[in-house]
Amino acid sequence: MAGRCKWCGGEAEVFLPYARLRLCRMHFRDYVVRRVRQTIERYRMISEGERVLVALSGGKDSLVLLHIFSMLNSGEVPGASLDCEVEAVTLDLGIRGYSAKSIDVARSHCKKLGVRHHVVRIAEVAGFTIDDVASRGGRPACSVCGTVKRYVLNKVGVELGFDRLATGHNLDDEAAVLLSNYVSANVELLSRQSPVLPGRERMISRIKPLFEVSESETAMYAYFEGLKPVEEECPYAVAPSTHRFKRVLDMLENEAPATKISMIRGFLKKIKPLLEEANKALLKSCNVCGYPSSSDMCSFCRLRRIYGAM
Ligand code: Q46
Ligand code: ZN
Ligand code: ZN
């Protein structure tokens, strides 16, 4: 890449079109860490001293998220320090040839960063694995897996007494989900889409500190920092429907840099407050497990019944 780093004059390795910024490797890292710190501040995601549990799947984004937390805690990047207690959790989904590898990646990442790591087998909580779901046929493995992951991560976070559950969703994920919810006019999901969801009884507060960092930025960050995500692909992976929205948004972003971030910020600032007013659904509790649910039995307990685990 031709050009010089704006901050140190060294050789630039990154060009960020939306900011017209050329940066060297180290200043790119500092730039991303500082942006995440600002996001945490702007959306009041974490207060000093809180306990944060990072959902660490072994994929690129979650590795980057935990690495950024370590940078913030170390105070190494000027103007970007944060005093909070961070631990990580990886779910053993029971997917042969995939789960063990992702756990290994997550474990060695935590070891390198000196972060306490929890591994939770979903079979122990749900009574079935994702391999069981797939071999039984019927429902798509990913949809069951999504429900189970959400439920188990929340349960673990609550039971271990954490204040926040942090996930690695990035700007491209959020913008694509937003567009897809617009297209299907799903007001309920739109009103719930947020970089920070407050907690309540038996519901941990969920935060997405990377939601203003693009996918290409997390990829560059991982590459520059030598982070090695799990290479194997989940055998049940299918292209999510949000992929086509990502492609469209990429086209827009190419023509008009910062489209994605302005779309998300505009939504959060002007549209979401109106939707929240219009959609104050009362959350109840599941009659079976007691965790929050919008109906008498939560979707996790319904799955357990379907898969004969209760
Ligand atoms: S792990 Fe689970 Fe993913 Fe595998 S079954 Fe689908 S959702 S693809 S991120
Ligand atoms: Zn530099
Ligand atoms: Zn339940």
Side-chain angles (χ1 to χ4, degrees), residues 244-260:
R244 60 177 187 280
F245 295 111
K246 280 193 177 175
R247 281 200 301 274
V248 172
L249 288 163
D250 283 343
M251 272 165 51
L252 291 171
E253 183 82 26
N254 270 338
E255 287 182 24
T259 296
K260 293 177 196 172

Side-chain angles (χ1 to χ4, degrees), residues 200 203 282-286 291-299 302:
R200 58 189 192 97
M203 175 90 93
L282 255 184
L283 259 190
K284 311 188 224 173
S285 299
C286 170
Y291 275 85
S293 165
S294 51
S295 54
D296 290 341
M297 190 190 282
C298 75
S299 42
R302 256 180 270 141

Side-chain angles (χ1 to χ4, degrees), residues 151 286 289 298 301:
Y151 186 94
C286 170
C289 70
C298 75
C301 287

Side-chain angles (χ1 to χ4, degrees), residues 53-122:
L53 183 64
V54 173
L56 188 66
S57 66
K60 151 180 75 65
D61 295 334
S62 66
L63 296 186
V64 168
L65 177 60
L66 192 63
H67 191 274
I68 291 177
F69 268 120
S70 292
M71 297 296 296
L72 291 172
N73 267 330
S74 74
E76 220 176 283
V77 178
S81 62
L82 178 67
D83 176 25
C84 62
E85 198 184 315
V86 176
E87 296 181 15
V89 61
T90 305
L91 301 184
D92 180 348
L93 301 169
I95 299 175
R96 194 171 317 144
Y98 173 72
S99 289
K101 300 227 166 89
S102 34
I103 293 167
D104 280 351
V105 166
R107 190 176 284 135
S108 73
H109 190 57
C110 287
K111 204 168 160 202
K112 240 183 255 161
L113 298 174
V115 170
R116 184 160 178 217
H117 186 219
H118 307 264
V119 176
V120 177
R121 293 179 60 224
I122 65 151

Side-chain angles (χ1 to χ4, degrees), residues 73-239:
N73 267 330
S74 74
E76 220 176 283
V77 178
S81 62
L82 178 67
D83 176 25
C84 62
E85 198 184 315
V86 176
E87 296 181 15
V89 61
T90 305
L91 301 184
D92 180 348
L93 301 169
I95 299 175
R96 194 171 317 144
Y98 173 72
S99 289
K101 300 227 166 89
S102 34
I103 293 167
D104 280 351
V105 166
R107 190 176 284 135
S108 73
H109 190 57
C110 287
K111 204 168 160 202
K112 240 183 255 161
L113 298 174
V115 170
R116 184 160 178 217
H117 186 219
H118 307 264
V119 176
V120 177
R121 293 179 60 224
I122 65 151
E124 271 169 27
V125 186
F128 57 85
T129 66
I130 301 304
D131 274 348
D132 294 337
V133 171
S135 62
R136 187 167 149 164
R139 285 162 183 261
C142 285
S143 98
V144 175
C145 185
T147 302
V148 170
K149 282 196 282 199
R150 254 191 316 279
Y151 186 94
V152 177
L153 285 172
N154 177 59
K155 186 170 160 62
V156 171
V158 168
E159 285 178 358
L160 296 180
F162 283 90
D163 300 297
R164 313 277 180 176
L165 176 71
T167 57
H169 295 93
N170 62 42
L171 175 61
D172 294 60
D173 299 328
E174 289 305 289
V177 169
L178 181 57
L179 185 56
S180 132
N181 287 339
Y182 268 131
V183 169
S184 56
N186 194 328
V187 176
E188 199 192 330
L189 286 183
L190 279 170
S191 70
R192 271 196 265 139
Q193 189 166 353
S194 173
V196 45
L197 290 169
R200 58 189 192 97
E201 210 198 333
R202 288 199 177 201
M203 175 90 93
I204 191 168
S205 162
R206 304 173 79 101
I207 55 171
K208 299 170 183 168
L210 298 185
F211 98 105
E212 295 197 332
V213 180
S214 74
E215 196 151 335
S216 59
E217 288 171 323
T218 61
M220 284 191 284
Y221 189 108
Y223 174 73
F224 291 152
E225 290 303 313
L227 311 182
K228 301 247 178 327
V230 60
E231 282 171 3
E232 284 71 18
E233 208 190 338
C234 172
Y236 309 123
V238 281

